[in-house]
Structures are given as C-alpha cells and as structure tokens.
Amino acid sequence: MSKLGGLSKKAALFNTLSSTSDTPALLLDAGNQLFKQPALPTAPAEAGAARVRARGIVLANQTMGLQFAAIGTHDLAAGPNFLKEIAGNGFTWLSLNLSNRYNDGLLFPGYILRQAGQLTVAVLALTNHDSATPADGSSYHIRPWREVLPAALAQLRQRAHLIILLSNYPLGENREIARTFPQIGLIFQSGHAMGNLPPIAVGNTLISQTETRGRYMGLLEIDWQGRGSWRQPGKSALSAYDRAGSSFRQRFIPLSATMENDPAIDALVRQTEKQAQALTR
Amino acid sequence: MTTRKTARHKGSLSIVFALFCILGLALLPQRASAQMLRLVYNNDNLGELSPCG
C-alpha cells in the first residue's frame, strides 16, 4: 500500500485551495494532533523525541496557516503547560472544558471568532472528559460538555453567524450535543477512529471527521443561508420548499505520494525528524 | 399662515424621521447574506510529520 499524508503535502494542498478561489477558506484541526498515545513513552529519550516532533508539528501547521486547534486527550500527553509553551505567534489552543482543578478557570480560550468574508464564524472546542483522567495531583480537570456549552453558546448568540464545534467526543455524544444545541451548525470530531466519516445531518448540524494520521483532508464547501436544515445538492430530488436553507458539498482528498510538497514545510519536517532521531540514537 | 407653518413643521418632521430610519438601518447588525465558505479539516494526526502507510 502506498504511503499517504505528510505535513508538506497538507500545506501544498491548503495553499492551492486558498489561491485558486475567492471563496474564503478556513483550516481546522479537531484535535489529537501531537502524540500517538494519551501518555508520553516511558523511555526518556523516546519522550524527548515525541516532544521535539510535537513542537515541529505545531510550527509546521502554524506556518501553513493553522491559527487554532482543539485540544484532544492525546494532546495532553506532555501536560497543558507544554501546550502553552509551544503555542503563541498567532496560534491558539482551544478547549472550553479543560479547567483549573481548584477554581474551574479555563486553562485555554474556549472559543475563537474569525471573520470569513461577511460571515463571523465562532469556533469552539471540547476535550473528551470521559477518555482522560488527569493524574492524581495534576492541576487540571476536564468538565462535562453539559456544564460548559450552555453559557458559551449564550455568549455567542449575538456575536456569530455560524457556530462550529471541534469536538473530541465520540459520535454518539456529538449527536446528543447537536440535538441539544441546534444553533451549532457544524461539528468536526476527533479521537474515535472510524475512517473518513462523510457529513451526517443531525437536526440543524452536520457532523464529520477524517481518517487518522493525516492521510486525508476533508473539504467542506458551504453556502450559508443562516441557521436551519442542511441540503446537499444533487443528492435527492427536492421540492421548492426543501431548496431553502444552507447547502454543502463535501469530499475527502487523499494526500497521495504523487501530490506536490511545500518546500518550506518539507525542510522543517526533515529538520524536526533529524532532531528527534538524534535523541533516540 | 398657520397652515403653511404646519406644513413646514410636518416637512421637517418627515426629514428627521427619514434620517432616523436611515441611521437605524445602518446601525442594525448586518445580516450575512448567502455566504460561501470552504472548510479544510482533519483530525487525529497523532504525531505524524511525514507520509505513513
């Protein structure tokens, strides 16, 4: 089987998509970006190499235009302080429920607002509280989504046209979130390998995710007409009444070996690998 | 005389009312018309920098 993925191909694809159309493009990462497992390897050299790769991944993604990402449980392998260390320079980690254990204060911003053409887009992120139990003595905990979403969505009611949730919860929980909060237009999920999941409509919300390990990118093109049900042109015969509402087209793009590489990101990846391998020799 | 004064007064009121309406419309939050947006997304890169099998 030929190899797929790679950050330099992801960068080249995003450059192409951004430069070949006037339609605004937003790059999203739904979480579990940095580490293979929710804990670091026990061997110190391996743990050091994983940290070096994580820094390189954030730098590469930031360079290609990723401005924020959700914190998945795997991203916490080296602890929240490590995430703070490697953020900055226009890159923000998001989690609406990763909180200080003692006063419930958020460790990171819970959401971010972005202007895309005339649309104000709010992007929120949730870390799965069920799949991560912080070690005894750690200074943080992860609150259930039911405790944090209502207040955040109330704050955003008058501030955003479109609300996007990056969720580290499994599909069943995301369906429940969509049913409970129909004002969320889109959910992109992480953490529960199911292969590429084309958009599923749950009430007013579309839920989607890609295959793991960066082998595919999802491209969702939407024509936003405000909150309401979604339709996918060409999928079914629609009455004039049904044609109201927002519409979408979606596809998964394999990052195949024949795709071009972004030279700057390619150089950064090679340098990072060299540094990581030097630690484990 | 009184009729002319009243007409002038009504005219001024109409202008003020029209200006008020224009100002009010300008201050209303802009409703986003149909907007195209492309979302490029992925998840669970799990520490991968390079192509993998």
Side-chain angles (χ1 to χ4, degrees):
Chain A
M1 188 181 149
S2 65
K3 290 185 168 186
L4 291 175
L7 293 178
S8 62
K9 294 187 190 301
K10 176 180 172 180
L13 174 71
F14 187 62
N15 281 341
T16 305
L17 290 171
S18 303
S19 60
T20 54
S21 169
D22 291 335
T23 303
L26 207 53
L27 185 57
L28 303 170
D29 188 303
N32 286 351
Q33 188 184 157
L34 302 184
F35 299 107
K36 278 190 175 58
Q37 304 290 335
L40 286 176
T42 45
E46 294 289 343
R51 282 197 184 91
V52 166
R53 288 195 178 94
R55 280 181 195 277
I57 287 167
V58 169
L59 186 56
N61 273 300
Q62 190 184 324
T63 307
M64 72 178 82
L66 187 70
Q67 298 172 338
F68 51 84
I71 300 173
T73 49
H74 287 224
D75 297 316
L76 290 166
N81 287 337
F82 177 74
L83 296 182
K84 287 184 178 172
E85 266 175 53
I86 62 174
N89 291 328
F91 178 84
T92 307
W93 290 105
L94 300 176
S95 177
L96 197 54
N97 55 346
L98 190 57
S99 307
N100 182 301
R101 169 167 286 187
Y102 306 106
N103 63 15
D104 276 347
L106 286 182
L107 299 189
F108 298 90
Y111 61 81
I112 204 160
L113 291 166
R114 282 289 174 270
Q115 199 64 34
Q118 283 185 43
L119 278 182
T120 305
V121 180
V123 184
L124 300 88
L126 287 170
T127 309
N128 186 352
H129 77 277
D130 277 334
S131 71
T133 310
D136 287 344
S138 65
S139 58
Y140 69 94
H141 70 147
I142 306 171
R143 298 172 67 193
W145 59 266
R146 288 179 194 281
E147 289 182 13
V148 297
L149 266 179
L153 291 170
Q155 279 177 30
L156 291 170
R157 197 170 46 200
Q158 301 296 333
R159 298 176 64 193
H161 298 110
L162 170 62
I163 295 177
I164 298 174
L165 174 65
L166 306 176
S167 173
N168 185 219
Y169 282 100
L171 182 59
E173 289 286 311
N174 289 329
R175 283 180 185 275
E176 187 59 27
I177 290 171
R179 281 191 286 266
T180 311
F181 301 106
Q183 61 269 55
I184 298 173
L186 300 166
I187 297 178
F188 297 101
Q189 63 178 33
S190 68
H192 304 275
M194 303 171 67
N196 286 323
L197 176 72
I200 298 171
V202 178
N204 292 345
T205 310
L206 291 180
I207 304 174
S208 183
Q209 80 168 72
T210 66
E211 170 69 278
T212 61
R213 299 170 73 193
R215 288 176 281 202
Y216 291 82
M217 294 300 293
L219 173 62
L220 182 67
E221 298 174 281
I222 65 169
D223 181 356
W224 180 251
Q225 306 268 353
R227 234 178 79 188
S229 57
W230 288 94
R231 64 189 172 83
Q232 194 171 10
K235 279 287 172 183
S236 57
L238 298 168
S239 68
Y241 176 77
D242 289 335
R243 280 196 289 271
S246 302
S247 62
F248 71 96
R249 292 177 199 278
Q250 192 272 352
R251 65 193 162 110
F252 292 107
I253 304 169
L255 299 182
S256 62
T258 55
M259 283 181 76
E260 64 171 311
N261 290 301
D262 179 297
I265 303 296
D266 196 40
L268 205 156
V269 164
R270 285 172 197 274
Q271 190 191 351
T272 303
E273 274 299 352
K274 207 169 155 186
Q275 287 171 355
Q277 283 168 15
L279 290 175
T280 52
R281 249 182 232 136
Chain B
M1 189 71 181
T2 313
T3 314
R4 203 179 299 157
K5 249 187 183 173
T6 309
R8 255 206 318 264
H9 183 62
K10 275 186 181 169
S12 306
L13 275 180
S14 301
I15 291 167
V16 170
F17 181 71
L19 285 173
F20 183 75
C21 288
I22 291 166
L23 187 67
L25 283 172
L27 289 177
L28 274 178
Q30 190 178 15
R31 181 193 175 278
S33 55
Q35 282 296 304
M36 302 293 292
L37 179 61
R38 297 195 296 175
L39 300 154
V40 185
Y41 63 99
N42 72 350
N43 48 269
D44 297 284
N45 287 351
L46 303 178
E48 295 288 353
L49 288 147
S50 308
C52 57

